[in-house]
Amino acid sequence: MVFQNAEWIWTEGAPTVNQYALFRTDFRASGQKPAMLRISADARYAVWLNGAFLEAGQYADYPGQKIYDEIALNDLRPGVNRLEIGVYSPVTDSLVYAFGAQALIFEVLEDGVCLAASGEHTLAAAMPGYTSGPVDLITSQMGYTFEYDARFDAEAIPFAPAKSFSYTRAFAPNPISRVHTGGRCKGTIVSQGIFHWPQRSETLGQRMQYAAMAFRENRDMTGLNEQPAFPLEGGVAYSASEGDGAYVLIDLGRETVGYLDLEIDLPEAAEVLIGWGEHTDDLRLRTYVGKRNFAARFYGKAGQQRFVHRFRRMGLRYVQLFVAARAFRLLYAGVLPADYPLKNALSFHVQDALHERIAETCAATLRHCMHDHYEDCPWREQALYAMDSRNQMLCGYYAFGEYDMPRASLKLLSQSLRADGMLELCAPARIPITIPSFSAMYLVELQEYVLFSGDLDFGRELLPCARAIADAFCAHIDGSGLISAYRDKKYWNFYEWQPYLEGYATHERDTEALRYDAPLNCFVILALDRLASLMEDLGEGKEGSVYRERANALRKAVNERFWVEESGLYRSFANSQGTWHEAELTQALAVYCGACPQHRLDRVLSRLTDESLVPVTLAYSIFQFEALLQRPEKWSHWVFARVARDWGHMLQHGATTFWETLKGAWDFDRAGSLCHGWSAIPLYLYFAYALGLKPLAPGFARYAIERVDSGLGDIAGEIVLRDGKRLSL
């Protein structure tokens, strides 16, 4: 039983959104026995022991089941020790957070004996420096940015007894390893100059984006002939005799995820704006993008000081400072990298140098998109989606032998099940809309997890959730034998980031309330089929056969309703006026889900490669590739050549991780992510097809090795199974 002597606590006073609180307790210890801190908070914590930073974290959970961490206290002193815990509570729901209560609970144990625990005797205060209350949103998906004022008196913090309260929740240990924080990243100052604040701006991001910047030679501002690079002993002294201050742009050299770290020496108090991001295509760091603000404010005091923002990881390559001072010394600006501790590294070697580099960059992309759970991108959202995570899981099994994070992410998604049988759009989150096709893909990734891991008990645990989703889809099948497009505003008929498939636009012929979408029906076929396979593996094949029958009936209906003989393809949408929209995704899904009969297969695959249709984007290219590899003797070289073309294109344009789409930074109205986990797809192709390894029974109890002719030359690899065994290929 955990937290037997502890109570949930928070500060006195009216609660507010975006609140930072600080808690302090002193306790005695022998310092000779094993000790640990057990802790859970809403929503992020940072811990200091005897003034030294110890750990930051908190697994992203739903309030119905709070996750706790156990942190070793290896540096307890004999006698009195001081524990300080900062807690950040956004309160406002987002795509990465579902509010429960502003709350902290902890206990300190030495050799099993409780030395301290949260309660009314714990001291509490508003966390000094941080601004609580409404501030700018980074994005609607991620929540608030931060503002910090270092000009406070650390000896005059108005501590008062904490407020304890009843907050009955189930507890569970952290299901994954905690993120590891490393030392400072290297970075090069690539530009510097002066700036003038804009006359009008509403947010911190706008102030940085719209400020007038004028380049100045490095030697004129610092006296140095070469561009400085961090770490640099003594830092860099800047002087600016004009403008409102000086700007500095630092390039970390590659995509990085970590905690913002600033060390600066100011002759007097000054405002410093900190921007972070992936893009300098605007000839400056892109800090404001369509209401998104990748900027924060730091008020520095006179003298040398260091500030590390421990309450949120940032995804970035560049850091930019606007320092409102005539002179200052910059000792460091960058991040402390935060990485999920993978047990295994990618083991893959190929004769073709381009494909070798593609594989390495895919692995880097995956690593940067896994922390508390899988996340779509570390820069703009950090959100767990069922569709995105399916690609990430599938690649991660082969690349890293990683099973803890898929299991935890699947469990977290299952906890988002709604009354209508759909999952929330993301987890943990509360959002007005959801994407039905993503709920369908959840059944696919659940079945694949059990197949790759052999974790049958987990499959049984989540089977009720899976069946609830499947039953909701089956209930939506109408007299046509198909599932009609969802019309309620709480559903988003999204299939792909292409016109009409993205669920925003309405086609000129789509004038009726009733419409049928081929992609949705194909996704549901996949879901029902995979659920039937899962139930067979769990020994419940008889009940699962009902879902197989439903899938077969949907296949027949899709083939009959969407096939256009004269065009030799499947159209995306249908209503009483006919069918329309020709897309690669629709052909790929029709083949992949088995709706396309064998006598039409070669004709459809030819259309899938003739580049006359609306193309698939990177995320959904996995369906195109797997469809084509049903005829490997004809299309395998085409598939790997396409990988070389598209993923090679990103490398040629400076990618250190792979992008959200091939448009890169300019997609989504300048908000395209340059690190997106779903784009690691080539790793799956290399292992499952070029090396030919696929599991046939849960946990690789049976497997096949059937290599296709990839044209890549000599190729080898190794994967690690869930039980630690290795398969060399």
Side-chain angles (χ1 to χ4, degrees), residues 21 29 32 54 67 80 106 109 158 170 214 240 248 295 312 412 414 437 452 459 463 473 499 507 584 660 673 710:
Q32 306 299 318
L54 181 63
I67 302 299
V80 177
F106 69 86
L109 303 173
V248 181
R312 185 187 294 279
L412 190 59
S414 76
S437 64
F452 277 78
L463 185 58
F473 281 124
H507 195 277
E584 289 181 354
E660 187 172 11
S673 160
S710 61

Side-chain angles (χ1 to χ4, degrees), residues 185-186 251-258 276-280 285 294 313-318 335 337-339 361 363-369 371 375-382 654-660 665 672-677:
C185 287
K186 296 180 180 179
D251 181 3
L252 302 182
R254 60 180 51 250
E255 182 79 23
T256 308
V257 184
W276 67 89
E278 300 174 327
H279 316 87
T280 53
L285 184 63
F294 302 97
R313 292 179 301 275
M314 308 299 190
L316 69 157
R317 173 170 174 171
Y318 302 95
V335 298
D339 298 308
T361 307
T365 305
L366 287 176
R367 288 195 301 270
H368 287 328
C369 294
H371 292 94
E375 55 202 39
D376 60 334
C377 61
W379 168 62
R380 194 188 66 220
E381 294 190 14
Q382 300 184 2
T656 62
T657 50
F658 287 129
W659 307 343
E660 187 172 11
S673 160
L674 301 186
C675 179
H676 229 79

Side-chain angles (χ1 to χ4, degrees), residues 59-95:
Y59 183 79
D61 53 18
Y62 275 104
Q65 184 186 64
K66 289 299 297 178
I67 302 299
Y68 63 85
D69 284 321
E70 294 184 339
I71 302 168
L73 300 179
N74 297 321
D75 297 320
L76 285 184
R77 303 168 179 167
V80 177
N81 292 262
R82 171 162 291 178
L83 182 73
E84 291 183 304
I85 303 172
V87 180
Y88 171 54
S89 181
V91 178
T92 305
D93 290 338
S94 67
L95 265 67

Side-chain angles (χ1 to χ4, degrees), residues 245-312:
Y247 78 84
V248 181
L249 177 64
I250 299 99
D251 181 3
L252 302 182
R254 60 180 51 250
E255 182 79 23
T256 308
V257 184
Y259 300 103
L260 285 174
D261 182 3
L262 171 67
E263 189 170 4
I264 193 168
D265 190 353
L266 295 166
E268 58 185 13
E271 179 186 27
V272 181
L273 295 193
I274 308 170
W276 67 89
E278 300 174 327
H279 316 87
T280 53
D281 302 70
D282 302 332
L283 303 184
R284 65 196 302 149
L285 184 63
R286 188 174 289 173
T287 58
Y288 180 73
V289 191
K291 299 183 179 180
R292 306 173 184 91
N293 295 277
F294 302 97
R297 175 165 30 214
F298 172 80
Y299 281 107
K301 60 187 177 181
Q304 184 173 330
Q305 58 219 279
R306 183 183 181 188
F307 170 72
V308 180
H309 184 56
R310 303 279 186 181
F311 295 103
R312 185 187 294 279

Side-chain angles (χ1 to χ4, degrees), residues 184-199:
R184 286 173 163 174
C185 287
K186 296 180 180 179
T188 301
I189 297 172
V190 293
S191 183
Q192 62 285 313
I194 64 166
F195 69 87
H196 293 272
W197 293 123
Q199 291 184 348

Side-chain angles (χ1 to χ4, degrees), residues 521-580:
N521 282 273
C522 290
F523 280 121
V524 173
I525 291 169
L526 288 173
L528 299 178
D529 246 350
R530 295 301 186 91
L531 177 56
S533 295
L534 173 62
M535 294 179 72
E536 288 171 2
D537 290 334
L538 298 178
E540 300 186 27
K542 186 175 180 179
E543 287 189 56
S545 64
V546 174
Y547 298 108
R548 186 86 70 195
E549 291 169 5
R550 288 297 186 99
N552 289 334
L554 276 176
R555 284 190 186 91
K556 181 179 179 181
V558 166
N559 186 52
E560 292 175 351
R561 187 64 179 269
F562 296 101
W563 176 253
V564 182
E565 179 62 30
E566 57 270 27
S567 303
L569 51 69
Y570 293 89
R571 298 286 178 89
S572 302
F573 309 110
N575 54 30
S576 67
Q577 300 181 49
T579 56
W580 41 266

